[in-house]
Amino acid sequence: MKSICTLILISLSVVPISSERDAVKVSSASEQLRAMYFNLNFDSGEIEGKPLLQKFPQSSEVTAWHILNMAANASLKKALVAAEKMTKTRPNDPWSWFALAGVLSHTSDRGEEALAASQKALAKAPKHPDFMWLRAETLKNQSKFQEAIDFIEKNYASVKDPQQLMVVRAEALYLSGAGARPDTAKTSAALEAFAEIRRLDKTNVLAHVLPGQFLVFARRTPEGYPLLKKALELSPNSNRVHRLYWQAVAGLPELSAEQKQAEIEADIKSLLERRSGFPATLSTVRAQYELLKVSEKKRQIEEKILQEFPQSKEAEWVFVHRYREFRKEAGPQGFSDPAKTNMYRAMLREFINRPMHHDDALLGDAYRNLFIDLNDDPSASTAEIIEAARGMTRFCVANPETIFPSAAIALADRGAHFQEAEAMARQGFSKVRQKLAARRAAFETQGEYVLVLNRLTGMVWHGLGWVHFKEGRYAEAEKTLLQAYELAPQHTPLLHHLGQFYQFRKDLDKAEGFYIKGALVETLGTNPNHNALKALYELRNGGLNGYEEYVRKLKEIDTTKRREKIFALRIKDPRPATPFILKTVTGEKLSLEDLKGKVSVINFWGMWCGPCVKELPDIQKLHERYKDDSMVAIVTIDNDPDPAVLKQWLAKNNYNFTTLLDNGYVEKVGIRSFPTTWFIDEQGRIAFTKVGWSEKLLEEFVWRIEDLRQMAARQ
């Protein structure tokens, strides 16, 4: 069986080749780039592809594979420009549409265009195996898993060496079974399909990498490790394979922390000996040194990138990492030292003012950070705010539901550029729709999709309504803000602004009502409604006498409502939890069967998850409350890759609640949101599920526990 590296490709270039010898050379060049792509050696495909392009400028096939390598190597901006140029200058060439579809598949918001381009490419070259592969790959990348599978099963028999098609089929099968409702039959069948491909073609890199990656992500690291180690032998220059291999090493339970670090650093040394002249490799190594907390070596790699490749996308990332690390040192409250504030802003402006930017999203991120910092500073000039808001809304691609309304609100609060502020807010509507359209496949039902669309749209209406208010268009402002409230009733900045609006209109009862609603909403950040409610009470009562009693009564009412709401969410027909046998962080085994006869709380979390970490102090308090109660068990299941690092972190924070190590159980039961907490009754059935962070965790978790105990006592 021939490998993908030795396939002789059929040239479909519309530009004639001058001789048979030249045709062979062109075919060899395209084979090289194609092999680099399928071996995941994208940076070589981009860098080494340049002289091949210069040698064969008329070959659209060579150009197309070079473009695909660029896109996969994170040079998406350049790749897209090149692909779009091909479709304009060579519109009848199938490789032009091949290149465009391949690039668009790497974008987050142009999936429909990718599908259309792949269909157009295939129509122009219906029998070519690479065009069949691209069509299937594009369907899979747009989460059209069954369509991809059906397409492959219909066509693979007509392809001489169909391994790459079968890789796409196996990946689509796995992803379709690993969704919100896991299907272990599908994922098992997919892993077997990968194994069959490896039996047919022992050199197929993707048939090793993809199942290895899936197994490591599912915490079945001992199974994934040998696949990734073999992939490293097959493609020793692939940065992606090295990254996955290092992740697998970090997750091996039988190795000590010292052994893991030694194995990873030995591989890094070998990689650098061969690839220190490739900036993408240096960037990959830099990221790993950061994970290993080897600060001096990380800094050395950064300096090498900046000195030898100053205009590269990897240098761009060095600047980003540095300003993010600098800001992180300040904590959530920001810098108290004005000198450090100025230094942080200078770092952001230095990045913004670079002569070129490879990734507009990173430029948008820098503008967003500058905007946030300036907007919190009353001494910042209006001109600075406007400049940052314009850059943020122009280049930011993430979170349009906050980017556009916050920019509009900032301009309105400064009493400047109302027309531009309104335009910014209105632009947010289309950006939100585009964002959700690109993620449509992530929603299981139309109802879920509409619910999220309404909430995000409501946040944009909030920005528009506040612009109207600040502009003095009060009737429009009230109508728009109330429309926002109908769609996003839990959005605390909106509730605060509604309170301010009605306080301005002298309707203090309505103002108080909205402040109360806002103050009772759980939020991770600062909630402005607390101070607003206190100030309004002082205004209405001539002082704060009685305020504590007033708040106490509000909390009593809120407690009653929250308790009723939680009990209403008790699962009427509780299902048995999926059995597990997992090791604790200290090495003992614990099974679900061991918890039978107890009311159990099982919290799924990870150190990488900010909301999870934020609620762990309350998990510890819950553990302290019930540690001597033989009828209640407080258990957590951690989703981090390295048990040694986890153990040290728990000890450092004085957490001694029972922590189990995930071995693929999280993937098996379909936990997708963190934190998630199960409340299991004495019969081993899930009676309550709480998804997301809990502000009043201790109180509300105790309610659930005691409710289940009372139910057991009545039975």
Side-chain angles (χ1 to χ4, degrees), residues 634-694:
I634 309 299
V635 176
T636 73
I637 297 178
D638 174 77
N639 190 236
D640 290 294
D642 193 333
V645 173
L646 171 66
K647 188 175 181 180
Q648 292 174 359
W649 188 85
L650 290 169
K652 177 183 175 182
N653 288 281
N654 297 314
Y655 294 143
N656 60 3
F657 45 76
T658 299
T659 301
L660 303 179
L661 304 175
D662 178 33
N663 66 354
Y665 184 74
V666 169
E667 180 79 13
K668 181 179 180 180
V669 297
I671 299 296
R672 292 288 182 272
S673 299
F674 293 83
T676 288
T677 306
W678 289 348
F679 297 83
I680 298 178
D681 65 19
E682 293 176 322
Q683 299 176 54
R685 302 175 304 180
I686 301 173
F688 290 98
T689 297
K690 173 67 173 75
V691 177
W693 171 77
S694 298

Side-chain angles (χ1 to χ4, degrees), residues 35 59 124 206 237 256 305 312 340 411 468 473 475 508 584 609 636 639 681 694 704 715:
S59 172
K124 292 179 178 294
L206 284 168
N237 293 332
S256 67
I305 292 172
S312 66
K340 287 191 173 182
L411 266 60
H468 288 161
R473 296 156 61 181
L508 300 188
T584 69
C609 164
T636 73
N639 190 236
D681 65 19
S694 298
R704 294 176 175 96
Q715 291 176 354

Side-chain angles (χ1 to χ4, degrees), residues 603-617 619 673-676 693:
N603 175 262
F604 297 88
W605 69 287
M607 288 187 294
W608 51 269
C609 164
C612 300
V613 171
K614 186 175 178 65
E615 69 178 18
L616 286 183
I619 294 289
S673 299
F674 293 83
T676 288
W693 171 77

